[in-house]
Amino acid sequence: QLQLVESGGGLVQPGGSLSLSCAASGFTLDYYTMGWFRQAPGKEREGVSCISSSSSVDTTYYADSVKGRFTISRDNAKNMVYLQMNSLKPEDTAVYYCAAVPRRITTVKAMCLMIYDFDYWGQGTQVTVAS
């Protein structure tokens, strides 16, 4: 059974850092595009960052709001995906979700924008940025 489990959320002060992890089971990451998404209260779910691999080369996408502050990475051998979040802002407060979709012949940016095409989702982890 395919499962995604996020961890690493919490409360952090503005300017601080958090590292999110996503453990995948029931499938191998090699043939999947993986993404981090977030949803703040009263707002639509949005793509934060996505990563896709082909011939051992990772391609990444970042939303403009997190570019330069967040870094996505994956360890296919461990079946893990990570999101390193630095210089956190109050507007980063949201529930963060890990998601997976079988890799397609399209750009990783296009995949990240097709949020509801992702087939598998974790339960989410809360990130709160406040002083």
Side-chain angles (χ1 to χ4, degrees):
Q1 182 177 354
L2 194 147
Q3 191 175 15
L4 299 170
V5 178
E6 303 96 336
S7 60
L11 172 65
V12 64
Q13 292 187 341
S17 297
L18 277 177
S19 182
L20 304 184
S21 298
C22 173
S25 60
F27 71 107
T28 56
L29 296 185
D30 303 57
Y31 302 107
Y32 283 76
T33 295
M34 303 298 296
W36 285 98
F37 300 84
R38 67 186 181 187
Q39 188 165 19
K43 293 189 176 182
E44 295 280 326
R45 190 170 297 189
E46 63 175 350
V48 175
S49 182
C50 291
I51 186 168
S52 191
S53 295
S54 179
S55 302
S56 302
V57 176
D58 286 339
T59 304
T60 58
Y61 162 81
Y62 296 94
D64 287 344
S65 58
V66 307
K67 202 172 293 183
R69 299 188 297 122
F70 290 11
T71 303
I72 191 171
S73 61
R74 62 197 288 164
D75 186 334
N76 288 351
K78 295 182 178 179
N79 249 24
M80 296 289 294
V81 182
Y82 307 98
L83 186 68
Q84 177 65 39
M85 305 185 295
N86 298 328
S87 302
L88 282 161
K89 304 175 182 180
E91 51 263 43
D92 294 318
T93 296
V95 177
Y96 283 71
Y97 298 90
C98 176
V101 63
R103 202 172 64 219
R104 299 180 185 176
I105 304 176
T106 186
T107 66
V108 66
K109 175 182 178 179
M111 278 309 310
C112 215
L113 295 178
M114 295 188 283
I115 294 175
Y116 295 106
D117 279 15
F118 278 72
D119 296 315
Y120 308 105
W121 291 83
Q123 82 289 350
T125 185
Q126 176 70 46
V127 171
T128 303
V129 185
S131 54

